[in-house]
Amino acid sequence: MRSLLIAALGLGLATPALADWQQTLEAAKGQTVYWNAWGGDARTNAFIAWVGTQTEAKYGVKVEQVKLTDTATAVTQVISEKAAGKDSGGSVDMIWINGPNFLAMKEQGLLHGPFAGDLPNAKYVDLGPDAAAAVDFTVPVDGYESAWRLARFVFTYDSAVVTDLPRDMAGFLDYAQTHPGRVTHPDVSNFMGATFLKQALVEFAPDKAALQQPVTDAAFDAATAPLWAWYDAMRPFMWREGKTFPENESVQQQLLNDGEVDFGVSFDPASAAGAIAEGLLPETARVFVPRDGSIGNISFVAIPYNAANREGAEVVANFLLDPATQAHQQNIEVLGSFSVLDPAKLSAEQAAVFAALPSSPALPSLQDLGPTVLEPHASWMTKLVAVWGERYTK
């Protein structure tokens, strides 16, 4: 009845779900959302801090970032709380999550929801069954996580130093042989190191369709045989002969800035432009992708089933999808991450804000990034990391 009255008054809350949103806002007031998120990028950390100032001013919801080096830390915390019978009042309110971690939490019933489709600002997102925001590493989202930024795997380099860019992953072998000690990747226990291997896996796999299905031993052996042959040939020519690796992408970026290696890696196409602005890379730094495209996905936020401040977490997730927030995020002077919103769902006024955003010589366009390569099923990454560890760290 209340929702019908509101609709009749033209106040924009025309459905029971949106009428319930008012109750969510009221319950969220005074809450502090503990957002567990990777803390390795200063610009992302600053953006999250800005989000907190905005949600506190607008909705009375504070945000405290719990800075992680590995998302699995937050997942393990939730698992431990469930094992201890703590089914409410949990310490983790929201997680920046993707792929294997989302799959693990979804399969174990550790997620609050479905909630994403009921967020008021979800109307700006394409949530069709085949849309990028509806699938995470081939796993249907089913409303248990909400999009917040686009991610594309890119390589960073200094254009004043490197003139013979590898045009595909096979080309990194040729480059390493020509320039010994100049190629590396983050440790594969780190998400970015695993993504380096996945990019190569997708390129070399004889049957790419098999990567979209849960992994089997037979399919894994067939798909990875050319990958390991390539890696074995390249390893002696890698930085420190492939016996040790940068801890993460930030450490590798420092190696690049110091002139010790020729490439960095990132899941953020704006990473080079952002690092230049911070004085962390030279003005001539640029990003590139393999000629046939690179792995891409959407970064999501999820809410654990036992979150103490789930209403506040929903408010924050909704704020992240506000067109004004997405435009602020896409501003290269702020973060530079591409929006997850469907341009066709924006008003002319909202679209104009995006069109007026500043640019940078180091910031690629979506066209520059070429086609998006599909992530393999999450189980492939888990097995790939384990087998790489068995082959090269023991």
Side-chain angles (χ1 to χ4, degrees):
M1 182 70 181
R2 180 176 180 274
S3 61
L4 292 175
L5 177 60
I6 292 172
L9 292 173
L11 298 182
L13 299 178
T15 69
L18 294 183
D20 291 344
W21 184 248
Q22 286 302 118
Q23 298 175 12
T24 299
L25 291 174
E26 291 162 10
K29 279 184 181 177
Q31 291 185 352
T32 297
V33 174
Y34 290 90
W35 183 357
N36 287 241
W38 178 63
D41 178 62
R43 285 161 64 88
T44 299
N45 295 343
F47 174 75
I48 291 174
W50 174 83
V51 168
T53 64
Q54 297 298 306
T55 55
E56 183 175 8
K58 295 174 184 291
Y59 308 109
V61 177
K62 295 181 179 180
V63 175
E64 290 286 345
Q65 182 185 0
V66 179
K67 296 178 181 177
L68 305 176
T69 57
D70 189 337
T71 304
T73 302
V75 178
T76 300
Q77 178 65 26
V78 178
I79 292 172
S80 298
E81 290 176 353
K82 182 167 187 177
K86 192 172 186 178
D87 292 330
S88 61
S91 60
V92 179
D93 293 317
M94 193 165 76
I95 307 174
W96 175 6
I97 197 168
N98 279 92
N101 288 307
F102 171 67
L103 177 62
M105 292 192 77
K106 187 182 181 189
E107 288 183 338
Q108 296 178 61
L110 298 177
L111 295 173
H112 163 63
F115 74 93
D118 290 334
L119 300 177
N121 287 329
K123 66 184 179 182
Y124 298 113
V125 183
D126 182 357
L127 294 176
D130 297 323
V135 179
D136 189 357
F137 286 56
T138 78
V139 178
V141 168
D142 293 332
Y144 285 93
E145 57 181 355
S146 178
W148 76 289
R149 62 192 280 189
L150 279 181
R152 281 291 300 275
F153 185 58
V154 297
F155 293 95
T156 311
Y157 72 106
D158 185 347
S159 61
V161 174
V162 178
T163 58
D164 51 339
L165 289 177
R167 302 320 303 173
D168 50 26
M169 296 306 289
F172 275 96
L173 170 58
D174 298 331
Y175 190 94
Q177 290 174 331
T178 306
H179 308 279
R182 308 296 298 177
V183 171
T184 190
H185 58 76
D187 191 284
V188 174
S189 63
N190 176 272
F191 178 76
M192 290 306 305
T195 303
F196 178 89
L197 286 187
K198 284 191 294 180
Q199 179 72 31
L201 172 66
V202 171
E203 179 176 317
F204 294 130
D207 179 11
K208 292 176 175 49
L211 305 180
Q212 298 300 303
Q213 304 298 321
V215 69
T216 64
D217 289 343
F220 183 85
D221 291 344
T224 58
L227 167 68
W228 300 134
W230 166 80
Y231 195 85
D232 287 343
M234 184 170 66
R235 191 180 180 211
F237 300 96
M238 293 174 68
W239 179 71
R240 296 187 177 177
E241 298 180 338
K243 295 177 181 177
T244 186
F245 302 89
E247 180 182 357
N248 53 46
E249 65 184 276
S250 300
V251 174
Q252 186 165 334
Q253 179 179 275
Q254 185 61 54
L255 293 174
L256 172 62
N257 193 48
D258 292 343
E260 195 167 339
V261 299
D262 285 343
F263 303 103
V265 293
S266 177
F267 233 131
D268 179 7
S271 56
I276 291 170
E278 293 181 84
L280 299 176
L281 284 176
E283 293 283 343
T284 47
R286 297 290 184 268
V287 298
F288 76 97
V289 296
R291 64 182 168 216
D292 292 329
S294 66
I295 285 175
N297 60 41
I298 281 181
S299 289
F300 294 91
V301 291
I303 304 170
Y305 83 104
N306 65 341
N309 301 290
R310 66 178 63 175
E311 296 90 356
E314 288 192 11
V315 169
V316 174
N318 185 64
F319 178 77
L320 291 171
L321 292 176
D322 188 292
T325 303
Q326 288 282 305
H328 182 75
Q329 171 186 277
Q330 189 168 313
N331 187 335
I332 187 56
E333 296 172 356
V334 177
L335 190 55
S337 292
F338 290 112
S339 171
V340 298
L341 306 185
D342 182 350
K345 295 179 180 292
L346 299 177
S347 68
E349 183 179 359
Q350 290 165 338
V353 175
F354 283 92
L357 291 175
S359 189
S360 161
L363 181 66
S365 67
L366 284 173
Q367 290 74 25
D368 293 333
L369 296 174
T372 299
V373 174
L374 293 176
E375 284 274 12
H377 186 273
S379 57
W380 281 85
M381 177 171 159
T382 302
K383 190 170 180 64
L384 193 64
V385 169
V387 173
W388 181 88
E390 293 169 0
R391 290 177 64 100
Y392 302 109
T393 64
K394 294 181 180 179

